Amino acid sequence: MKRLVVLAAMIGVGLMASTAASADNATLIENHQIHPFDVSDLVMMDRVSDPQLSPDGHYAAYSVRSTDYAANKGVNAIYVQELAKSSERPFKVVPKQASSPRWSPDGHSLYYLAPAGEVTQLWRLDVPADKHGLNMSTASAPVQISHSPLDIEAYKLSPDGKSVLLSYAVFTDCGDLACTKERLDGRAKDKSTGTVYQKLFVRHWDTWADGRRNQLYIARFGADGLMPAEPTLLSRGMDGDVPSKPFGDDSEFAYSPDGNTVYFDVRIAGNSEPWSTNFDIYKVSADGSSMPQNLTEANKAWDAYPVPSPDGKTLYYLAMKTPAFEADRFAIMAMDLATGATHEIDPSWDRSAGGMQISADGKTLFVTADDEGQHPLFAVDVANGKVNKLVGDGSVSDYSIAGKHILLARDDLKHPVDLYTVSIAGSGLKQVTHFNAEHLKNVKMGDAEFFTFKGWNNETVQGYMVKPVDYKAGHKYPVAFIIHGGPQGAMNNDWSYRWNPQTYAGQGFAVVTINFHGSTGYGQAFTDSISGDWGGKPLEDLKLGWQAALDKYHFLDGDRACALGASYGGYMTYWIAGVWNKPWKCLVDHDGVFDARMMYYATEELWFEERENGGAQFDVPENYEKFNPINHVKDWRVPMLVVHSGDDFRIPITQGLGAFTALQRQGIPSEFLTFPDENHWVLKPQNSVQWHETVNAWLKKWTAQDASSNTSGKP
């Protein structure tokens, strides 16, 4: 993931046309009339994810997150659907808060994670089969497979289904899982609350370090199908996390085809962990009899996501070439496991691959990647590196392969995620789930259009525009000019539960966004170009893109426009407040960098700061000052809404408080919205409602017709 993300999970909501909150703000009342899409529709949508195709290719298992608005949380459940009968309702197979469905190798059992009491355990659901296939209605009661004292963080079944890889968060000096539980219980009873730290990370993302590491274990199922009381530790001696924190998953470890060897990636950085991206891939015997062996020690950059070939002779993985640079291109690598020799599969493909899987015959690798405003699924020939786009328009967020069939999760700017099937050759794309169809039939959305223009250095830059709902030719509309985060990210043709442009289009705004220099999907040189130049080329692109949009779309009211951004987009919002504020009637800044100097000392992942600024702040202070928003506060004059949350350790809350102080002290109209219980994203439904209500009110206040001549609080 990119360092300054664009609120990757913000699900903000506001109460306008389609629903309304009750007096106690605990319910949403659905409106079944035709209405413009709004954030209330967004927050109550079912979110489909984690598609898992059965071994015979006939059934889909997947997760669905619904919203319990009164409880202010999401509720996860698992469904199974027979693909030949996609018009029929899917079968809800397990209770609330279940996740991570995985088929057994024979396809007759479904494993998943769910709570048992207060601990996340592994469960198995056995499904009988007859000549017509699986009979979900006669499935036996779920069986609890594990009975450990600690939560299972992630898992993966062996190819023969006889064992399972498991990740637990443990104290590495403990000899068993019970020791970690006892130590945690002891801390909870201790009346003193102080903690002594001897190295970074002291905290990461939104969590204070407590000394535990995610460690990789293996457990072999007994004759009764249950796990033993104590699994076998595989990542012995590893001062690192498997999978990585805070967003790692089971794609970071894998079995060999015969199940005798396990591959995993981990960063062993010791005291240098906050300024290192040196992940390596290790192999270890599946019986735990040996210490892990580093396979990629020669590369000091990022090596991860191992995928063994079906014959067990080759290990495919993704690798970067530049140390301490998280936005470098991920190349597809092949390692001969007999000799250790490596080579790059796709040297001529200028995209950064992700989400890699392999075909049953071992001849094709499948990956996803940003690609000029889309996020397609690609097939890569392992013999010659030829890349073929299988599913192009929109965004493929996840997928699963069985034989000649692919089950994938796909979305775009007008459609949330649903599941589709397609052949491994890319033919016969067919939608198989329709989770939000009933709800969406009552809503109207804005039409989107991509456009290009000549940006910095006369190079081609892409952006898109979304028309307001109920657009009428000849009318002028206020504009929400959204600046994406990352900064190595992009606003793509996808459905977002964060800065979804349809929420603004439904409020009567046109939306314009620019994938400026630094964005992903346009070649690695384009992505690299932002490093060391945060306020340079991207600002030039934003200026030229804004003018290009005004020239192309005459319904945009350039006199009633507000700029909004989060993370890097928030940094840019603070930057333009001082150096390009003339076009804007208002600004909205979420979790932005206000003072680049203090950001270095307050954030957690220092590799990012040092890469983007050419070194540590104490070594190259001038680099941190070159594009530092705080140095231009005297030129601020546009009304600004500042949003910053208390548990954001990526960009700590003092950045937002500092900006609000600068605004208030100068008498510039401003508001400050904070959530003490949110991180870099706003995740809780009712907090998201408040977020969007506040943002929408701010936009409307300053873009109203009678506000156009009196927006500045400072001469």
Side-chain angles (χ1 to χ4, degrees):
M1 87 165 243
K2 303 309 179 198
R3 174 61 170 70
L4 297 183
V5 291
V6 194
L7 295 173
M10 171 162 279
I11 55 171
V13 201
L15 304 174
M16 297 295 169
S18 71
T19 58
S22 67
D24 62 1
N25 200 38
T27 60
L28 288 177
I29 304 169
E30 187 173 0
N31 180 359
H32 296 283
Q33 302 301 312
I34 302 298
H35 60 273
F37 182 83
D38 64 37
V39 290
S40 301
D41 298 306
L42 188 71
V43 77
M44 296 306 294
M45 283 186 166
D46 292 326
R47 305 184 195 184
V48 183
S49 65
D50 201 8
Q52 299 294 321
L53 191 56
S54 62
D56 61 8
H58 293 164
Y59 297 87
Y62 50 92
S63 295
V64 178
R65 177 198 181 276
S66 58
T67 299
D68 185 338
Y69 192 77
N72 202 24
K73 66 179 182 180
V75 179
N76 298 311
I78 293 173
Y79 289 78
V80 167
Q81 188 157 337
E82 186 174 357
L83 296 175
K85 300 178 181 179
S86 59
S87 61
E88 296 183 3
R89 292 177 62 85
F91 190 89
K92 188 175 182 180
V93 297
V94 295
K96 295 179 180 179
Q97 301 304 13
S99 63
S100 304
R102 299 294 184 267
W103 293 100
S104 62
D106 64 7
H108 292 167
S109 298
L110 190 68
Y111 291 79
Y112 60 92
L113 296 178
E118 297 182 353
V119 180
T120 299
Q121 304 284 6
L122 182 64
W123 296 74
R124 187 187 73 240
L125 181 73
D126 296 324
V127 185
D130 54 33
K131 63 180 181 179
H132 301 293
L134 299 180
N135 190 339
M136 300 303 304
S137 63
T138 60
S140 59
V143 177
Q144 183 180 337
I145 300 301
S146 67
H147 294 79
S148 64
L150 303 176
D151 291 331
I152 297 175
E153 305 292 331
Y155 77 99
K156 181 169 285 186
L157 295 169
S158 64
D160 62 5
K162 295 181 179 180
S163 69
V164 59
L165 295 173
L166 305 146
S167 177
Y168 292 100
V170 300
F171 296 107
T172 56
D173 61 338
C174 275
D176 56 26
L177 300 182
C179 166
T180 292
K181 179 64 165 60
E182 291 168 4
R183 192 175 298 180
L184 291 172
D185 290 344
R187 288 183 178 183
K189 295 176 182 177
D190 195 339
K191 299 300 182 182
S192 65
T193 59
T195 301
V196 176
Y197 292 95
Q198 296 176 322
K199 65 178 183 179
L200 300 174
F201 293 118
V202 168
R203 58 186 191 176
H204 196 184
W205 188 249
D206 61 1
T207 304
W208 287 87
D210 66 1
R212 287 182 291 169
R213 289 288 197 187
N214 288 344
Q215 295 285 282
L216 189 63
Y217 293 78
I218 190 169
R220 300 194 179 280
F221 298 126
D224 56 3
L226 305 182
M227 281 173 45
E230 190 68 28
T232 300
L233 177 64
L234 295 181
S235 54
R236 283 189 289 158
M238 294 289 179
D239 184 20
D241 291 293
V242 187
S244 58
K245 295 177 181 177
F247 302 115
D249 58 28
D250 63 344
S251 65
E252 296 187 50
F253 50 86
Y255 281 96
S256 62
D258 61 10
N260 293 331
T261 304
V262 171
Y263 303 95
F264 63 91
D265 65 67
V266 65
R267 175 179 52 199
I268 307 298
N271 291 338
S272 66
E273 186 174 18
W275 51 93
S276 169
T277 61
N278 186 19
F279 282 78
D280 282 308
I281 295 176
Y282 289 75
K283 75 172 183 178
V284 66
S285 174
D287 62 10
S289 61
S290 62
M291 295 293 290
Q293 175 187 349
N294 191 342
L295 299 179
T296 60
E297 187 173 8
N299 183 27
K300 302 305 179 184
W302 200 328
D303 305 286
Y305 310 111
V307 176
S309 62
D311 63 9
K313 296 179 180 180
T314 306
L315 183 68
Y316 299 101
Y317 61 99
L318 301 181
M320 295 181 177
K321 296 180 174 66
T322 306
F325 184 29
E326 68 174 19
D328 195 14
R329 171 178 171 268
F330 260 131
I332 304 173
M333 303 297 294
M335 175 182 290
D336 185 319
L337 289 168
T339 66
T342 63
H343 70 277
E344 184 175 347
I345 296 290
D346 62 333
S348 62
W349 189 42
D350 196 9
R351 294 293 182 266
S352 186
M356 186 165 63
Q357 297 184 37
I358 194 166
S359 61
D361 63 8
K363 295 180 179 180
T364 306
L365 289 165
F366 300 92
V367 297
T368 59
D370 279 356
D371 183 55
E372 297 185 349
Q374 314 292 334
H375 192 79
L377 176 65
F378 298 91
V380 183
D381 190 311
V382 301
N384 57 28
K386 182 180 178 181
V387 180
N388 179 38
K389 187 183 297 182
L390 298 183
V391 180
D393 292 344
S395 176
V396 176
S397 56
D398 201 358
Y399 65 98
S400 176
I401 302 172
K404 296 183 178 181
H405 306 282
I406 301 176
L407 175 71
L408 56 91
R410 178 176 177 268
D411 58 282
D412 59 38
L413 279 164
K414 296 184 76 171
H415 302 92
V417 170
D418 265 306
L419 301 188
Y420 296 73
T421 55
V422 69
S423 75
I424 61 172
S427 61
L429 183 68
K430 177 185 177 182
Q431 185 173 347
V432 295
T433 66
H434 303 80
F435 262 85
N436 294 290
E438 186 67 22
H439 183 80
L440 288 176
K441 73 178 184 180
N442 295 318
V443 304
K444 295 183 288 184
M445 297 190 192
D447 293 327
E449 179 178 311
F450 279 82
F451 64 94
T452 60
F453 60 93
K454 295 299 182 182
W456 174 85
N457 198 33
N458 211 36
E459 296 177 7
T460 299
V461 177
Q462 186 184 50
Y464 68 71
M465 174 280 307
V466 180
K467 290 182 178 179
V469 171
D470 293 329
Y471 163 81
K472 293 182 176 61
H475 288 229
K476 287 276 193 176
Y477 294 92
V479 186
F481 187 73
I482 299 177
I483 306 168
H484 77 68
Q488 295 91 352
M491 292 285 281
N492 287 332
N493 181 17
D494 60 18
W495 184 263
S496 175
Y497 288 96
R498 51 191 194 277
W499 293 71
N500 191 313
Q502 296 293 353
T503 64
Y504 303 97
Q507 299 292 310
F509 287 87
V511 177
V512 174
T513 188
I514 305 298
N515 284 335
F516 45 78
H517 276 78
S519 300
T520 52
Y522 305 93
Q524 193 59 38
F526 192 91
T527 300
D528 290 348
S529 66
I530 196 172
S531 296
D533 197 33
W534 275 28
K537 290 185 285 291
L539 178 63
E540 187 71 9
D541 288 343
L542 291 171
K543 289 180 176 180
L544 293 169
W546 175 236
Q547 188 59 53
L550 291 175
D551 292 343
K552 183 176 179 66
Y553 305 110
H554 299 293
F555 56 86
L556 302 179
D557 191 341
D559 293 325
R560 293 193 295 145
C562 291
L564 311 82
S567 203
Y568 171 83
Y571 157 84
M572 180 54 73
T573 301
Y574 288 143
W575 182 240
I576 67 176
V579 303
W580 184 45
N581 53 42
K582 188 175 180 180
W584 313 115
K585 297 304 177 186
C586 73
L587 300 170
V588 177
D589 192 296
H590 184 115
D591 288 3
V593 177
F594 170 61
D595 181 2
R597 181 191 316 119
M598 192 56 203
M599 173 67 178
Y600 176 81
Y601 295 101
T603 192
E604 7 88 301
E605 293 179 354
L606 293 177
W607 67 74
F608 175 81
E609 288 294 311
E610 294 180 6
R611 166 68 190 188
E612 295 303 296
N613 293 285
Q617 191 278 334
F618 47 79
D619 285 331
V620 287
E622 65 279 5
N623 293 0
Y624 288 77
E625 299 307 319
K626 184 178 181 181
F627 299 113
N628 194 350
I630 200 172
N631 294 332
H632 297 271
V633 166
K634 64 181 177 61
D635 297 317
W636 286 16
R637 60 190 71 252
V638 177
M640 188 186 303
L641 168 64
V642 177
V643 186
H644 220 114
S645 296
D647 282 342
D648 186 355
F649 301 158
R650 177 114 326 154
I651 304 178
I653 193 173
T654 49
Q655 296 279 318
L657 284 168
F660 186 56
T661 298
L663 292 158
Q664 289 281 299
R665 185 63 181 86
Q666 296 184 93
I668 300 172
S670 50
E671 293 180 1
F672 181 69
L673 172 63
T674 185
F675 300 97
D677 55 346
E678 298 284 6
N679 55 34
H680 201 55
W681 305 331
V682 174
L683 300 175
K684 296 179 180 177
Q686 294 189 31
N687 285 348
S688 297
V689 167
Q690 185 180 9
W691 189 96
H692 269 86
E693 284 185 321
T694 305
V695 169
N696 288 337
W698 188 255
L699 296 179
K700 290 182 176 182
K701 175 180 180 179
W702 297 106
T703 59
Q705 293 284 1
D706 59 357
S708 60
S709 61
N710 183 30
T711 62
S712 177
K714 182 180 176 182

